[in-house]
Amino acid sequence: GERFATLIRDARLAIACVAVFVVATFVVPIGRLDTGLGLLVDLAAMSLTLHCVFTSGSVVSRALGSNVPRWIGERSYGIYLYGLTVMQLVPLVTHLTLRYAAPLDILLTGAIVAASYRYVESPLRAHGRLMLARRAERRLPEVVLPVLGAQGE
């Protein structure tokens, strides 16, 4: 109970969890997460999630809630939509290996996503909100339905 809560709130645990993600992402070869390291990454994800939920003022929680992660989160659908396509096209067009194409992939995906968010997603969302507001303003005429078995009808 209390011992677990104290551990989860400890900023050192959160920093260690971030370190696990960095190592798993940048150091471990692809395909090696099926070992015990995969379980460690899962445990780190769970611990970091609990830390952020229960300790909103910690260094890690503030960093994950800062502008860059928020920007990414708001545009995550565009990243999902365009990211894989760009990741496949850049090495194909430039003939670079993935190691050298990856920074270009990230920059290009970021630019496409930013433009899509600004010129496609935001206007469509604003239009949708406007349509919903107009629909809510319209009043349906009041209809008086005869009650079954009512007297005098």
Side-chain angles (χ1 to χ4, degrees):
E2 186 61 35
R3 194 174 196 185
F4 177 74
T6 303
L7 178 65
I8 288 298
R9 288 187 177 100
D10 190 345
R12 293 173 295 189
L13 174 69
I15 292 168
C17 292
V18 172
V20 167
F21 289 124
V22 169
V23 169
T25 302
F26 296 110
V27 177
V28 177
I30 295 173
R32 296 298 240 172
L33 288 178
D34 59 350
T35 61
L37 184 60
L39 181 60
L40 181 62
V41 170
D42 291 343
L43 181 62
M46 182 212 47
S47 301
L48 189 58
T49 302
L50 289 173
H51 174 80
C52 290
V53 167
F54 293 120
T55 315
S56 61
S58 76
V59 173
V60 175
S61 296
R62 286 194 316 265
L64 292 174
S66 66
N67 290 337
V68 173
R70 291 173 77 103
W71 187 92
I72 291 169
E74 289 171 353
R75 290 151 183 86
S76 63
Y77 180 71
I79 293 169
Y80 161 75
L81 196 62
Y82 305 116
L84 184 59
T85 305
V86 170
M87 234 187 318
Q88 291 180 356
L89 283 176
V90 167
L92 184 68
V93 172
T94 63
H95 303 291
L96 295 171
T97 63
L98 188 56
R99 175 181 292 274
Y100 298 107
L104 186 57
D105 291 339
I106 293 169
L107 291 173
L108 194 55
T109 299
I112 292 169
V113 164
S116 173
Y117 186 80
R118 169 72 171 93
Y119 296 109
V120 178
E121 294 174 50
S122 291
L124 283 173
R125 282 198 338 243
H127 180 69
R129 284 190 198 110
L130 182 63
M131 286 181 60
L132 286 174
R134 286 183 183 160
R135 183 183 296 170
E137 288 175 359
R138 282 188 266 160
R139 300 233 178 216
L140 295 175
E142 289 188 31
V143 177
V144 178
L145 298 175
V147 179
L148 293 177
Q151 299 297 327
E153 291 189 26

